[in-house]
Amino acid sequence: MDIIINGINPKNIPSNIPDTPISIPASKSICNRVLTIVALSDGVGDVYNVSDCDDTNAIINAITMHKKGEKYINIGAAGTAMRFMTAMLALRTKATVTIDGSARMRKRPIKELVDVLCQLGAKIEYAGESDSCPPLLIHQAPMRGGIVSINGSISSQYISALMMIAPGLSDGLTINITGGLVSRPYVEMTAAIMRDFGAQVLCTDNQITIKQGDYQSRTYSVENDWSAASYWYEIRSLIPDVNLRLASLHKNSTQGDSKVAEIFKLFGVETEYTSDGVLLTYNPKSVAERIDIDLQNQPDLAQTIVVTACLKGIPFRISGLSTLRIKETDRISALISQLAKLGYTVRETEDATLESDSVRRSCDKAPAIETFDDHRMAMAFAPASIVVPGITIEDAEVVSKSYPKYWEHLKLIGFTLSE
């Protein structure tokens, strides 16, 4: 489904916007880790405020199918599910099982994780055309603990997957991280959640040590998603006259993307923490003349920040984007090509850095934004309709991957959408 979207008309803004908190989704990053840990503890524990999105549903479905003894598990386009479930199945499967995914997933490498799992005793074969990508054939095999090394510059999810199965390995596990570590806050999130469930985890800059032991039973309430909040920060920066409230966001969050509150000060958005979430206000004096930031630890904010900088005419240099190549799409190329349709020239340097003067030149008439099966492309570009009314977002249903009610929520604050 393609949709034509027009941004908020200041004359038609609903009067209750400042007082009605927007209930963004629960954090899928937290949900996916908690659900995996609960499954590794044989389902002991109650989880509340579970995210209703494709990625989390893929985890739930995979865990359910594993419990039923299914021999084929398809996790679709959910990269987190592929990494976490590969590790869980390697440790826990009692039969041979195939884990597969979408056409794009079959092009997303997983070799770094598979190699380490095999070092620990797992028996995994590549069952498709590639010798580094899914589908995978995972056999029952005894696994052991020990000391392993893994390149941390590719994906932090490989490390999180290893961490979560570590308490179930004899003698535990020590992970030496080589090549630096991208998205470090996600590894720290994994460690924090594991500790919440009783695991003993010690993290230093380049090493993680986890002792053997059983996860403990507990209830867990998942906080809302700071990544999803970023689109509302983008919207707030483009409509200075109306405050926005977002429900159930916490200042001392384990989510690395909570840094959006700090970053968006550069766009004029101020964050006030309240008893039920945050209030977003606008301070024109804090808008930066130029932005130069490193997003190595918050790569999922890249699309939102790049698009916002262009729309607000703020020159930028944004580095630390190497992992964007292996996301749902090549997000670097996608940003460059789709912002060109809106009249902005964005350049990539050799070190995965994006730069632009954010000067808007010739714009396509009625631009159609390709989403490339990437939920974040759709959600980051939708607010552009405030500046460029009547843009089309192609395959708009892709937002179901993380934020199924996104379009519904935009309508609530005055966006108009039509198929």
Side-chain angles (χ1 to χ4, degrees), residues 5-10 233-240 267 282 304 306-314 339 341-344 358-367 369 380-393 414-416:
I5 181 168
N6 287 281
I8 299 171
N9 183 334
Y233 275 83
E234 178 182 1
I235 291 167
R236 185 66 188 85
S237 75
L238 298 171
I239 50 166
F267 296 115
Y282 189 79
T304 314
V306 169
V307 174
T308 304
C310 285
L311 296 173
K312 290 186 71 69
I314 302 174
L339 281 167
K341 294 179 179 180
L342 300 182
Y344 301 101
S358 294
V359 174
R360 188 176 171 205
R361 298 176 175 85
S362 59
C363 177
D364 286 6
K365 187 176 182 179
I369 303 300
F381 274 85
S385 62
I386 298 171
V387 177
V388 187
I391 67 174
T392 296
I393 302 293
F415 281 76
T416 58

Side-chain angles (χ1 to χ4, degrees), residues 205-411:
D205 285 348
N206 298 306
Q207 188 178 80
I208 302 167
T209 302
I210 302 162
K211 292 187 177 182
Q212 180 185 9
D214 295 326
Y215 284 118
Q216 298 172 3
S217 173
R218 61 159 293 175
T219 59
Y220 200 103
S221 182
V222 179
E223 65 178 300
N224 283 354
D225 186 24
W226 276 101
S227 304
S230 72
Y231 312 113
W232 294 99
Y233 275 83
E234 178 182 1
I235 291 167
R236 185 66 188 85
S237 75
L238 298 171
I239 50 166
D241 297 330
V242 178
N243 294 338
L244 290 174
R245 293 184 182 273
L246 304 177
S248 301
L249 291 172
H250 308 310
K251 186 174 185 178
N252 298 317
S253 174
T254 60
Q255 298 178 61
D257 283 354
S258 63
K259 192 174 177 65
V260 69
E262 177 185 333
I263 293 172
F264 262 77
K265 289 180 181 179
L266 301 172
F267 296 115
V269 181
E270 304 282 352
T271 304
E272 178 184 331
Y273 294 91
T274 65
S275 60
D276 60 352
V278 298
L279 171 66
L280 306 185
T281 60
Y282 189 79
N283 179 6
K285 294 181 180 180
S286 69
V287 178
E289 294 183 359
R290 179 179 175 82
I291 292 174
D292 190 339
I293 54 176
D294 185 331
L295 291 180
Q296 178 173 277
N297 288 330
Q298 296 86 25
D300 284 343
L301 298 180
Q303 286 139 301
T304 314
I305 292 168
V306 169
V307 174
T308 304
C310 285
L311 296 173
K312 290 186 71 69
I314 302 174
F316 63 85
R317 180 181 184 277
I318 300 176
S319 58
L321 305 179
S322 60
T323 61
L324 296 193
R325 293 288 190 200
I326 61 168
K327 297 287 187 176
E328 285 80 348
T329 186
D330 179 343
R331 288 178 173 171
I332 290 177
S333 296
L335 277 169
I336 292 171
S337 65
Q338 300 313 295
L339 281 167
K341 294 179 179 180
L342 300 182
Y344 301 101
T345 300
V346 179
R347 303 172 300 279
E348 180 194 4
T349 63
E350 294 181 2
D351 57 348
T353 296
L354 290 178
E355 298 180 351
S356 178
D357 59 10
S358 294
V359 174
R360 188 176 171 205
R361 298 176 175 85
S362 59
C363 177
D364 286 6
K365 187 176 182 179
I369 303 300
E370 298 175 65
T371 54
F372 304 100
D373 201 27
D374 185 346
H375 55 134
R376 301 201 187 282
M377 286 295 292
M379 292 186 286
F381 274 85
S385 62
I386 298 171
V387 177
V388 187
I391 67 174
T392 296
I393 302 293
E394 298 181 351
D395 299 321
E397 65 274 13
V398 74
V399 300
S400 64
K401 190 173 194 296
S402 64
Y403 195 162
K405 293 185 178 180
Y406 183 65
W407 304 121
E408 179 184 329
H409 286 175
L410 290 191
K411 289 180 182 179

Side-chain angles (χ1 to χ4, degrees), residues 158-178:
Y158 298 160
I159 297 168
S160 288
L162 292 168
M163 290 170 66
M164 287 188 287
I165 67 167
L169 301 173
S170 59
D171 300 323
L173 184 65
T174 295
I175 304 170
N176 291 319
I177 300 169
T178 63

